[in-house]
Amino acid sequence: MLSSLSVFSLFTALVIASPISLNALPLIARQDIETPINASLPNVTIFATGGTIASQGSSNTQTVGYQVGLGVQQLVDAVPEILNISNIIGYQVSNVDSGSVNETILLKLSQMINEELAKDEIAGVVVTHGTDTLEETAFFLQSTVNSSKPVICVGAMRPATALSADGPLNLLQAVTLAASPAGVDRGTMIVLNDRIGSAFYTTKNNANTLDTFFSTEAGQLGVFINQVP
């Protein structure tokens, strides 16, 4: 059974759910609230699933052995510049390492994304995810989401507590692309380390280095220069 929902406002429309037992169905529904939004900005929905991007270590030099635990609210709090790009709505779908993303989570995630992108007011969606199985989730969404709007999968190679953590900039870039007309009709994409890759071709090539997601044969769809895709 789902836990009760709690709602937070974050300068604009950011709606999330309270933590859910991972032994139960780790899925939530959105609640609408009256919060100020910027009508001149597009609307992007973030689906958070956990992973390194949502992890914390015991020190700022720890880059292995960290623990997943940050929620979607905390991810957005860390990058307030996102709210200059779009209005944000957040779903905490799960909060696990990517090896624990199972078929239940995947099927419901795809269903929720299809329902969200069917809404005229939504420009695109972002999925925050652990990197070990990010490419598999991205490929699954490429195969099951029926929309021309951008679906962006994003993660991090360093936990949020690390020196030079890569998650905040990756998330900023992912939201930027989800809100951009340049992302339309390109399928599901993977954004990490300034690179924009197709879910169909992109793979993780190294377990530790930042520059690990790329397509060796087909090449990248694009890159970010000064945060512009």
Side-chain angles (χ1 to χ4, degrees):
M1 179 179 296
L2 297 181
S3 65
S4 60
L5 296 176
S6 58
V7 181
F8 303 84
S9 61
L10 177 63
F11 304 110
T12 185
L14 174 65
V15 186
I16 69 171
S18 58
I20 300 167
S21 169
L22 296 181
N23 294 321
L25 189 64
L27 306 164
I28 70 168
R30 186 175 72 184
Q31 289 186 341
D32 293 323
I33 59 174
E34 295 182 3
T35 53
I37 63 171
N38 187 335
S40 67
L41 294 177
N43 303 306
V44 171
T45 302
I46 298 176
F47 294 91
T49 67
T52 298
I53 195 171
S55 294
Q56 296 176 297
S58 59
S59 72
N60 60 9
T61 57
Q62 182 182 5
T63 56
V64 297
Y66 38 79
Q67 298 296 317
V68 180
L70 298 177
V72 61
Q73 178 80 46
Q74 292 163 297
L75 297 182
V76 177
D77 282 345
V79 198
E81 293 82 1
I82 285 177
L83 301 176
N84 297 324
I85 298 169
S86 73
N87 300 307
I88 297 294
I89 295 166
Y91 290 96
Q92 192 70 52
V93 180
S94 64
N95 213 354
V96 297
D97 63 89
S98 64
S100 299
V101 174
N102 57 26
E103 64 272 19
T104 301
I105 296 173
L106 285 175
L107 288 169
K108 188 60 178 179
L109 178 63
S110 175
Q111 177 187 347
M112 293 173 74
I113 290 174
N114 275 295
E115 291 174 355
E116 196 73 0
L117 292 180
K119 300 172 184 177
D120 292 339
E121 68 271 21
I122 300 300
V125 304
V126 171
V127 178
T128 63
H129 200 286
T131 60
D132 283 353
T133 64
L134 188 148
E135 65 193 78
E136 286 82 7
T137 293
F139 189 89
F140 176 78
L141 295 177
Q142 167 72 24
S143 303
T144 59
V145 172
N146 184 20
S147 177
S148 62
K149 297 177 182 179
V151 177
I152 314 299
C153 292
V154 64
M157 294 300 295
R158 293 173 178 163
T161 49
L163 291 171
S164 300
D166 54 325
L169 186 57
N170 287 346
L171 182 59
L172 177 70
Q173 292 179 344
V175 171
T176 300
L177 183 57
S180 172
V184 174
D185 286 323
R186 297 186 184 274
T188 300
M189 290 170 279
I190 294 174
V191 166
L192 276 97
N193 200 44
D194 295 333
R195 297 179 184 270
I196 304 167
S198 165
F200 198 86
Y201 296 108
T202 302
T203 59
K204 183 178 180 180
N205 290 270
N206 187 283
N208 298 297
T209 61
L210 296 184
D211 193 19
T212 180
F213 280 90
F214 52 91
S215 172
T216 56
E217 296 294 335
Q220 302 302 119
L221 292 179
V223 295
F224 287 88
I225 298 177
N226 199 33
Q227 317 325 319
V228 177

